[in-house]
Amino acid sequence: MTSLPAAADATADEIGAGRTAGYHPLPGVADEMVDPSGNIRPVWRSFVSAIDAMPDHELHERFARADRYLRDAGVFYRAYGATGGSDRAWPFSHIPVLIDEKEWQSIAEGLVQRADLLEAIAADIYGENRLVQEGFLPPALIAGNAEFLRPLVGVRPASGHFLHFCSFEIGRGPDGNWWVLADRTQAPSGAGFALENRVAASRAFAELYGETRVHRLASFFGAFRETLMEQRQGSEDRVAVLTPGPANETYFEHAFIARYLGIMLLEGEDLAIVDGRVMVRTVAGLKPVSVLWRRLDAAYADPLELDQDSRIGTPGMVQAVRNGAVSFVNALGSGILETRALLAFIPGICRRLLGEDLALPSIATWWCGQTTERAHVAANIDRMVIGPAYSRLPFFDDNGQSVLGSTLRNSARHSITEWLSSDGARLVGQEAVTLSTTPAMVEGKLTPRPMSLRVYAARTRDGWQIMPGGFARIGNGSDAAAIAMQSGGGAADVWIVSANPVAPTTLLPTDAEVPRNMPGSLPSRAADNLYWLGRYIERAEGALRILRAWHARFAESADPDQPLLAYVTRYLATLDIAMDRGVPESLVANVDSAVYSASNIRDRFSPDGWLALNDLAKTARRFRETVRPGDDATHAMTILLRKLAGFAGLVHENMYRFTGWRFLAIGRYLERGLHMTRLLGHMTGDGAPDGAFDMALEIGDNVMTHRRRYNVSTTRLTVTDLLALDPLNPRSILFQLNEIRTEVEQLPGARVNGQMSPLLREATRLQSSLSVMTADMMDSSVYRDFERDLERLSDMLARTYLG
């Protein structure tokens, strides 16, 4: 590692001709790495020296290591445009932001004060309403606010607090002081991404991370998890993250946080209100939930009393809140604290409620519903940003709804003045922000880019705790308005650097006895997705094996009308598989359906499994466009089968053998049983052409086994015996029924007071009836009966557990 010049005030130019040479902040802009005198800040020196000494190839490898981790972990966010949403790779900015712990301590103290203040404001708005009565808040700002939820007025949260987890958008101004740009109290996002940023940055700079004495994040999450658990109203009550679902832009984070903290991930449809209590539908029946970490906007939580158009909420949820039966993180209605216009009144409210000035001031804001403030904004338009008063976003996140006064022509300024006069109550003016810059790697050089920080606060048993870090949003140019990731900005880790060694922390328990989660906590929706994931995967495999056998024979004859190929084509048509291309659309659709089912259970799905499944889907879509019938398609099917086998192997070897795995396994066994039942009913029927028996063996992957077990040529009886009735053959129908019965017997409620459930009784009947059959008894009518029985078994499973 290259050492820095001995002088304490070494400048970027003095470091040498490396990546930091010539690094100069923008005029009139504060910089995180370089102080106003042009000297490298002490907290940055070791890091800057180290990366300056790295050759280009090493730095490239380090960045690639971080990117590979994020890609393999499946970290993404959803960007929305004119054509809808699309998943994008997480835009990681590799150079972390370094902040000295002494400076961070003052930031943390200011944010703790602010969190207490916001809690007091929420309690007043939904309680005594003294701030409005005493003139500290305009009545119109509350009454006309869509985030003011009247059904919650007078309702005290069960936990005693409105706020439990907040985030704050902060930025450093040109004078070097930090300012709060926005408060996030509705459903703050990004904490999971902050964790992933930390892992990626530590992969890129492993030894630097260890030597720099960076404060860890795990203790912050550990303390918050303990607080969530303590809020439960009963020892058997569940704690869950309540998500809007996979279509949400930060759904990955919801799943990640739930998995990281070991709590459930639920959607509104998973919940029901029974006798005033919140219950989750699980495969073991209704189970109580008393703590919900809410990641959806409050208005969507209850279509009965809040937004009647909501399709993601739970009817009766507000009544459960009134009953004190559930604690929300954060309380329903707390989103009003994010209102941009509220920033104009925060300083006065702080003095009124806390008896002190804000330690960390807000960005200067004027609500234009007041005559004096409106006149001030109009007179100082050059240094103002005009935007919606009720917006909950800072100006750089509001998708262009704000107007920067300095960019207006004279004629437009007159229109703005008229706008303020006619619609002032809906507008605010804010002082135009000149954000500080931080280093980002651009074309091999450190380059200043505008930055804001998102910092998190969690309420714990010891009071508010500030995450020692968070994540920085980095602009992709010099424009401060381009730091939003929807606009192409990036995200960087934030290192809070200590002068003393930092103790390692972990969420793993240290007690000698480790408590295990209680059984029966699998939500019915998750079980449904696991079951259909198994079915879609097996359905795709069955189709792949038939298609590979078809194309291998077509490659030899080039005649799709020969008897065997025509016979199989007719069979494929009954499965809605059209032989229009080398890779049919229905095959791609089955794989995509598997991906969709898996996307709904990301919290229960390993990153390796998710990566393998997406790789399979991408390959199938690519082959759909490029593969030709015959040899080309045969080779493509083999590749897809190998990728599918890799995914199935990951699931089989890595997934914990609990209730969720059983539903996945039952789905696979049932679909394979249906596949083989239909195939044998067709390929061993009276009208089967020459070669049908051999093709059935090939599709069943049993050619070699048949040769070893039967010293005769292939016949209908030998094929039937091996593929239908052999209990040791993992492709046979009987094997599937044996496994289905075994797994069904392990499901909750399979036996009640020693009596079989109807589902177990039916699975046992099917298994028993086939086990006493002989090959000569199996004909087309028997296969049709078993196909119908298997479909009925699936319906019974759905009625019993998945409804």
Side-chain angles (χ1 to χ4, degrees):
M1 182 181 294
T2 304
S3 60
L4 282 169
D9 58 350
T11 67
D13 285 334
E14 291 173 323
I15 293 177
R19 296 177 183 84
T20 52
Y23 181 94
H24 296 292
L26 301 175
V29 177
D31 187 80
E32 297 305 312
M33 186 180 77
V34 178
D35 67 21
S37 301
N39 300 318
I40 300 293
R41 298 182 190 273
V43 71
W44 281 86
R45 289 178 185 167
S46 295
F47 182 85
V48 167
S49 177
I51 65 168
D52 201 57
M54 293 176 188
D56 289 343
H57 70 86
E58 180 183 346
L59 198 62
H60 177 77
E61 290 172 358
R62 287 173 178 269
F63 290 174
R65 192 183 308 152
D67 293 339
R68 185 167 55 250
Y69 164 76
L70 293 170
R71 183 174 61 252
D72 291 350
V75 183
F76 74 93
Y77 76 106
R78 184 162 286 115
Y80 292 97
T83 59
S86 61
D87 293 349
R88 297 185 184 178
W90 183 244
F92 185 57
S93 184
H94 301 89
I95 304 300
V97 177
L98 277 61
I99 301 176
D100 185 87
E101 68 174 348
K102 291 183 180 179
E103 181 177 20
W104 188 257
Q105 181 61 35
S106 65
I107 292 173
E109 290 172 358
L111 294 180
V112 166
Q113 179 206 49
R114 194 175 189 91
D116 284 333
L117 176 61
L118 293 175
E119 170 70 30
I121 294 173
D124 180 81
I125 289 174
Y126 289 100
E128 296 180 347
N129 205 22
R130 289 185 177 179
L131 292 175
V132 171
Q133 295 174 13
E134 297 174 7
F136 287 92
L137 274 176
L141 200 58
I142 305 301
N145 197 321
E147 294 301 325
F148 177 57
L149 304 183
R150 287 174 174 79
L152 277 304
V153 172
V155 178
R156 186 71 181 172
S159 66
H161 298 289
F162 287 83
L163 302 180
H164 307 82
F165 194 88
C166 309
S167 72
F168 306 92
E169 209 77 43
I170 67 174
R172 193 196 295 271
D175 60 359
N177 294 319
W178 290 94
W179 297 76
V180 176
L181 308 177
D183 302 301
R184 305 281 192 174
T185 56
Q186 174 76 274
S189 64
F193 290 123
L195 277 169
E196 292 287 32
N197 283 344
R198 174 57 54 88
V199 177
S202 63
R203 295 284 177 93
F205 303 110
E207 70 288 353
L208 282 175
Y209 178 71
E211 296 171 0
T212 308
R213 297 174 174 176
V214 180
H215 282 275
R216 305 317 198 239
L217 304 182
S219 60
F220 172 83
F221 288 96
F224 187 56
R225 182 176 67 177
E226 289 178 5
T227 303
L228 291 176
M229 295 302 176
E230 289 170 355
Q231 288 183 24
R232 292 181 300 167
Q233 299 181 12
S235 60
E236 295 188 359
D237 286 13
R238 272 68 175 170
V239 176
V241 173
L242 181 60
T243 175
N248 186 264
E249 63 180 354
T250 57
Y251 176 73
F252 165 83
E253 187 212 357
H254 306 169
F256 176 84
I257 285 289
R259 188 167 56 238
Y260 183 74
L261 297 183
I263 59 181
M264 303 177 79
L265 179 68
L266 302 178
E267 296 180 30
E269 65 180 280
D270 294 325
L271 300 171
I273 310 302
V274 180
D275 296 330
R277 294 204 63 191
V278 181
M279 311 293 283
V280 56
R281 298 182 178 94
T282 78
V283 297
L286 294 171
K287 302 294 180 181
V289 178
S290 57
V291 182
L292 289 170
W293 186 353
R294 175 172 60 85
R295 302 306 299 271
L296 76 167
D297 286 0
Y300 296 131
D302 186 351
L304 194 63
E305 295 199 58
L306 300 176
D307 187 342
Q308 63 181 2
D309 294 325
S310 173
R311 296 294 181 268
I312 56 176
T314 307
M317 186 64 80
V318 169
Q319 187 56 49
V321 172
R322 290 195 190 99
N323 296 342
V326 62
S327 294
F328 269 104
V329 177
N330 289 323
L332 299 180
S334 57
I336 195 172
L337 300 172
E338 296 185 353
T339 304
R340 192 185 297 183
L342 188 62
L343 294 175
F345 304 95
I346 287 286
I349 293 174
C350 184
R351 288 188 289 271
R352 166 62 180 84
L353 295 182
L354 303 185
E356 56 193 26
D357 290 329
L358 284 170
L360 202 62
S362 307
I363 179 176
T365 304
W366 295 266
W367 180 51
C368 297
Q370 298 166 300
T371 303
T372 303
E373 285 73 10
R374 184 166 59 248
H376 175 81
V377 171
N380 295 276
I381 195 71
D382 282 342
R383 55 188 185 89
M384 291 287 175
V385 176
I386 313 298
Y390 295 112
S391 173
R392 293 167 23 217
L393 302 170
F395 76 92
F396 46 75
D397 260 345
D398 66 5
N399 296 319
Q401 295 183 60
S402 296
V403 177
L404 185 60
S406 61
T407 64
L408 298 174
R409 296 179 180 178
N410 289 332
S411 58
R413 295 183 187 189
H414 179 70
S415 299
I416 290 292
T417 302
E418 293 181 348
W419 184 31
L420 291 173
S421 298
S422 63
D423 209 16
R426 297 180 178 274
L427 299 172
V428 292
Q430 290 186 300
E431 189 171 355
V433 178
T434 302
L435 294 173
S436 65
T437 55
T438 193
M441 193 64 70
V442 180
E443 297 180 355
K445 291 281 188 179
L446 289 181
T447 305
R449 289 287 184 256
M451 171 211 73
S452 73
L453 297 185
R454 184 170 294 183
V455 187
Y456 298 89
R459 186 184 296 278
T460 71
R461 66 179 67 166
D462 300 319
W464 288 105
Q465 184 171 329
I466 305 300
M467 180 191 292
F471 76 85
R473 300 203 290 174
I474 310 296
N476 59 0
S478 58
D479 183 8
I483 66 174
M485 283 173 290
Q486 297 281 353
S487 304
D493 192 17
V494 178
W495 291 7
I496 308 304
V497 181
S498 173
N500 302 306
V502 176
T505 56
T506 178
L507 289 190
L508 296 176
T510 56
D511 299 336
E513 293 187 6
V514 181
R516 292 177 176 172
N517 288 335
M518 56 195 123
S521 293
L522 180 69
S524 298
R525 179 185 54 84
D528 186 49
N529 280 290
L530 286 163
Y531 172 70
W532 279 102
L533 172 62
R535 290 200 64 173
Y536 284 129
I537 284 297
E538 191 60 40
R539 190 173 297 176
E541 180 178 343
L544 279 170
R545 292 188 177 280
I546 298 174
L547 291 167
R548 183 172 66 171
W550 191 96
H551 283 289
R553 285 156 179 77
F554 176 74
E556 297 172 357
S557 66
D559 179 13
D561 296 324
Q562 64 160 291
L564 180 58
L565 293 185
Y567 188 72
V568 175
T569 299
R570 289 194 295 273
Y571 170 66
L572 289 170
T574 66
L575 304 179
D576 295 324
I577 299 176
M579 299 300 290
D580 56 340
R581 286 190 184 180
V583 176
E585 179 61 34
S586 57
L587 173 63
V588 178
N590 278 327
V591 176
D592 286 343
S593 294
V595 173
Y596 177 76
S597 293
S599 72
N600 284 286
I601 46 173
R602 285 294 302 272
D603 61 315
R604 298 175 182 274
F605 216 70
S606 75
D608 286 340
W610 177 251
L611 187 67
L613 186 57
N614 274 278
D615 180 54
L616 172 67
K618 291 176 183 177
T619 305
R621 287 192 289 269
R622 186 176 75 250
F623 284 172
R624 166 70 178 166
E625 302 299 325
T626 60
V627 166
R628 298 182 301 276
D631 278 333
D632 196 23
T634 304
H635 180 63
M637 300 303 163
T638 300
I639 292 174
L640 290 173
L641 276 170
R642 288 172 181 168
K643 287 180 178 287
L644 195 150
F647 166 75
L650 280 170
V651 171
H652 183 78
E653 293 298 326
N654 296 340
M655 194 169 179
Y656 189 75
R657 297 303 196 266
F658 197 45
T659 311
W661 182 86
R662 300 191 192 287
F663 279 96
L664 179 70
I666 290 171
R668 291 204 70 182
Y669 294 138
L670 195 143
E671 188 65 37
R672 183 173 290 185
L674 278 170
H675 163 69
M676 194 57 67
T677 299
R678 292 165 178 158
L679 180 71
L680 291 177
H682 191 77
M683 301 296 279
T684 64
D686 294 337
D690 290 342
F693 299 156
D694 290 321
M695 192 172 184
L697 287 173
E698 182 180 333
I699 294 169
D701 199 20
N702 268 238
V703 173
M704 296 301 296
T705 303
H706 185 275
R707 290 175 184 171
R708 287 196 301 269
R709 294 211 58 181
Y710 304 97
N711 294 321
V712 295
S713 60
T714 306
T715 67
R716 185 181 69 84
L717 292 180
T718 60
V719 171
T720 302
D721 184 63
L722 181 60
L723 294 182
L725 304 176
D726 192 330
L728 301 181
N729 180 8
R731 295 280 169 184
S732 77
I733 302 171
L734 181 57
F735 183 93
Q736 313 315 314
L737 290 173
N738 288 340
E739 295 300 313
I740 289 172
R741 188 199 177 283
T742 298
E743 298 304 334
V744 166
E745 192 168 20
Q746 300 301 315
L747 294 179
R751 292 182 184 272
V752 179
N753 297 326
Q755 295 282 332
M756 287 185 180
S757 69
L759 179 65
L760 178 57
R761 191 178 302 118
E762 179 63 12
T764 303
R765 184 189 71 79
L766 280 178
Q767 182 265 342
S768 301
S769 62
L770 187 63
S771 64
V772 299
M773 300 284 281
T774 57
D776 61 301
M777 299 167 63
M778 301 292 291
D779 57 22
S780 297
S781 63
V782 173
Y783 286 120
R784 283 195 299 271
D785 289 344
F786 268 104
E787 180 182 350
R788 184 178 62 252
D789 288 342
L790 284 169
E791 293 285 13
R792 186 169 63 245
L793 187 69
S794 177
D795 291 341
M796 291 183 67
L797 180 84
R799 288 194 301 271
T800 304
Y801 294 107
L802 310 181

